[in-house]
Amino acid sequence: MKNVISRPAYKLNGSIIIPSDKSLSHRAIMFASLANGKSIIKNCSNANDPMSTLRLFKMLGVNIEYVDAQTLSVSSGGVLSKPHHFLDCGNSGTTMRLMCGILAGQPFNSVLIGDDSLMSRPMKRVIEPLTMMGANLSAVDNRAPIHIFSSKLHGISYESKIASAQAKSCVLLAGLNADGETIYTEPSLSRNHTELMLKYMNADIECNGNKTFIRCSVLEPKVLNVVGDISSAAFFIVAASIVPGSDIILQNVGLNPTRTGIIDVIQKMGGDIEILDRKTVSGELAGDIRVRYSQLKACSIEGDMIPRLIDELPVIAVLATQAEGRTVIKNAEDLRNKETDRIHAIVTELRKLGANIADTSDGFIVNGKSLLKGAVEVESYNDHRLAMSLYVAGLICQKDIVIKNFEWVNISFPEFESLMQKLL
Ligand code: S3P
């Protein structure tokens, strides 16, 4: 148990390199393991969640070795072997949901488990479409442990009611190993890393708006270079936007348009944010971002925007406390199904600091601008993004705050505190 103090900041200044994207690192390890041959993954995240994925593929017989601290060599014959133990996904929803799609059509049985948080998260979103594809999965109350029994899969046309990249990726990965074509439609476009990376590895996949078509394919091994995580960059983007006098540069940030909602929100609020250098890395857009402090005004965030910033909403709540007026967040009910109920958690903790914030069934309403007082202890709810959002809130408090169980930041961003200290 590690309690961390976040102190009122003078200003943020300087330039940092944003560490590897978690979503892309999971997918790079998974898809390289499914490909027939040797792939190299450069700048792979070593945070706890992607490490859960890596551990699972080792248990499934894939040869994964470190070439250096952040480069992996993945050698696979394109087939997985039966694991001898339960497959433990730790805290990682991405691992569990995508693995369901990978394992459902394998010629062996397997069992997926996770930590207390993951075992309480809803899995119907993957169990339902996989069952329609001929999979045989058993999970009490649609929660892990998930027992997966070997089956032959066939393609389906599935219309999802939710915009979830994890659910979509699960079905597409099952479709990669199914007879016939699989068509997946979602109500708004969620992050499309699976589609882009599968295409990059020569899968038979096509995208048309919110619809994706995939057919059975063998993946080609590749060199996959993972860009920095915009969801990690978001904590610094918000911090620099609200701490007076700040001026920072964030290097090598992934700029896939399905992830850049945070940039649009800062712009909508009248913030000062600029993309300095654009490039394409292994099929994904990336660039450097400059952020400066500015006076912000409230805005509304809803609809198609939500999947483009779903993981940033806790830190956007902090941002909204410093924007003049009423910020309303709607259509974000899935936030209640994350590592913790993030609507309840962020509203409860920001209120302890003196913010004017109230929850609604599908989001929250913030009235700004508030002076946050500090001198309190806040809870991380064992949730990495809650812990880091509260750290950012601490930077604009009048007095220090203590964040409990801060070690959970290691789930996605072990370098968070040291990089923040570099800018302070
Ligand atoms: C992720 C998708 C999102 C996101 C999660 C990572 C992914 O979840 O919240 O942190 O890598 O596909 P949903 O697909 O459930 O929205």
Side-chain angles (χ1 to χ4, degrees):
M1 221 181 82
K2 179 183 169 195
N3 293 347
V4 156
I5 298 173
S6 176
R7 304 202 150 85
Y10 167 55
K11 63 182 177 184
L12 284 83
N13 261 136
S15 177
I16 54 172
I17 300 171
I18 295 297
S20 172
D21 187 275
K22 173 163 86 71
S23 285
L24 285 168
S25 295
H26 280 298
R27 287 162 172 81
I29 296 167
M30 290 177 179
F31 304 172
S33 297
L34 296 175
N36 188 359
K38 178 171 160 180
S39 296
I40 297 290
I41 308 175
K42 294 186 177 168
N43 193 34
C44 189
S45 167
N46 55 13
N48 290 358
D49 266 8
M51 287 302 106
S52 292
T53 293
L54 186 146
R55 213 178 35 247
L56 260 52
F57 279 97
K58 284 187 166 176
M59 290 173 71
L60 291 162
V62 180
N63 184 3
I64 309 178
E65 280 168 12
Y66 276 93
V67 177
D68 60 42
Q70 289 210 291
T71 309
L72 291 176
S73 151
V74 180
S75 301
S76 171
V79 284
L80 303 176
S81 46
K82 182 178 165 50
H84 297 297
H85 298 283
F86 289 177
L87 298 168
D88 188 349
C89 306
N91 190 245
S92 174
T94 305
T95 307
M96 184 169 278
R97 294 196 175 117
L98 272 61
M99 288 312 291
C100 285
I102 290 172
L103 292 169
Q106 297 294 332
F108 52 78
N109 301 342
S110 50
V111 184
L112 293 171
I113 58 168
D115 69 6
D116 289 348
S117 153
L118 185 54
M119 303 266 269
S120 67
R121 293 177 68 181
M123 294 296 149
K124 187 172 175 207
R125 60 189 63 195
V126 292
I127 293 175
E128 186 177 272
L130 288 177
T131 305
M132 289 168 66
M133 296 178 83
N136 184 357
L137 276 69
S138 145
V140 176
D141 201 20
N142 284 310
R143 278 163 171 79
I146 306 178
H147 292 258
I148 303 174
F149 303 100
S150 171
S151 339
K152 284 289 295 163
L153 305 182
H154 54 81
I156 53 168
S157 179
Y158 188 73
E159 298 220 358
S160 175
K161 291 190 193 71
I162 50 169
S164 158
Q166 292 176 353
K168 171 175 63 177
S169 303
C170 166
V171 175
L172 296 179
L173 288 166
L176 197 62
N177 191 19
D179 277 343
E181 186 177 54
T182 298
I183 305 173
Y184 190 92
T185 312
E186 54 184 342
S188 309
L189 186 61
S190 63
R191 65 188 69 187
N192 63 357
H193 301 307
T194 295
E195 298 90 304
L196 294 181
M197 201 182 287
L198 287 179
K199 184 104 202 146
Y200 190 71
M201 297 176 82
N202 277 336
D204 188 354
I205 183 168
E206 282 151 45
C207 303
N208 185 0
N210 300 352
K211 236 184 199 1
T212 309
F213 306 79
I214 190 162
R215 281 162 294 270
C216 189
S217 332
V218 177
L219 299 181
E220 225 178 69
K222 289 271 179 191
V223 174
L224 299 164
N225 203 333
V226 180
V227 297
D229 198 328
I230 190 163
S231 296
S232 298
F235 300 105
F236 304 111
I237 293 176
V238 170
S241 298
I242 61 179
V243 176
S246 298
D247 184 355
I248 61 169
I249 291 178
L250 306 169
Q251 296 170 51
N252 193 34
V253 183
L255 294 173
N256 179 317
T258 62
R259 297 281 300 279
T260 49
I262 178 74
I263 296 179
D264 296 359
V265 164
I266 299 280
Q267 279 168 345
K268 222 170 143 183
M269 286 184 156
D272 188 344
I273 189 163
E274 196 186 342
I275 314 288
L276 296 180
D277 173 31
R278 288 177 195 271
K279 53 189 175 179
T280 301
V281 182
S282 299
E284 289 278 352
L285 295 176
D288 297 345
I289 302 179
R290 181 172 189 181
V291 192
R292 279 176 279 199
Y293 169 79
S294 54
Q295 302 280 348
L296 302 170
K297 54 181 192 304
C299 74
S300 61
I301 306 173
E302 58 186 88
D304 288 351
M305 178 65 98
I306 297 295
R308 298 182 54 232
L309 45 65
I310 185 76
D311 289 341
E312 287 64 79
L313 286 170
V315 80
I316 286 174
V318 177
L319 178 76
T321 68
Q322 302 310 300
E324 205 64 57
R326 187 177 159 90
T327 294
V328 182
I329 282 102
K330 282 190 207 160
N331 312 124
E333 55 280 334
D334 213 23
L335 265 191
R336 295 199 186 274
N337 297 318
K338 296 294 175 187
E339 286 80 336
T340 187
D341 174 345
R342 285 186 175 157
I343 295 178
H344 166 77
I346 197 69
V347 168
T348 308
E349 299 313 297
L350 286 181
R351 275 188 173 171
K352 284 186 191 164
L353 301 180
N356 184 343
I357 178 168
D359 60 329
T360 61
S361 62
D362 66 346
F364 44 86
I365 299 172
V366 188
N367 283 296
K369 168 175 186 174
S370 319
L371 197 63
L372 302 186
K373 51 185 178 2
V376 288
E377 267 191 6
V378 289
E379 306 284 339
S380 70
Y381 295 71
N382 298 347
D383 180 328
H384 53 131
R385 300 204 197 279
L386 245 294
M388 292 183 277
S389 301
L390 291 168
Y391 193 103
V392 172
L395 303 177
I396 46 156
C397 281
Q398 300 273 283
K399 295 209 167 105
D400 294 359
I401 63 169
V402 175
I403 306 156
K404 288 161 80 177
N405 297 330
F406 200 74
E407 69 279 7
W408 284 86
V409 303
N410 294 334
I411 288 293
S412 64
F413 196 0
E415 308 86 347
F416 171 78
E417 225 187 323
S418 60
L419 286 176
M420 185 62 93
Q421 288 306 322
K422 253 188 100 174
L423 296 177
L424 289 173

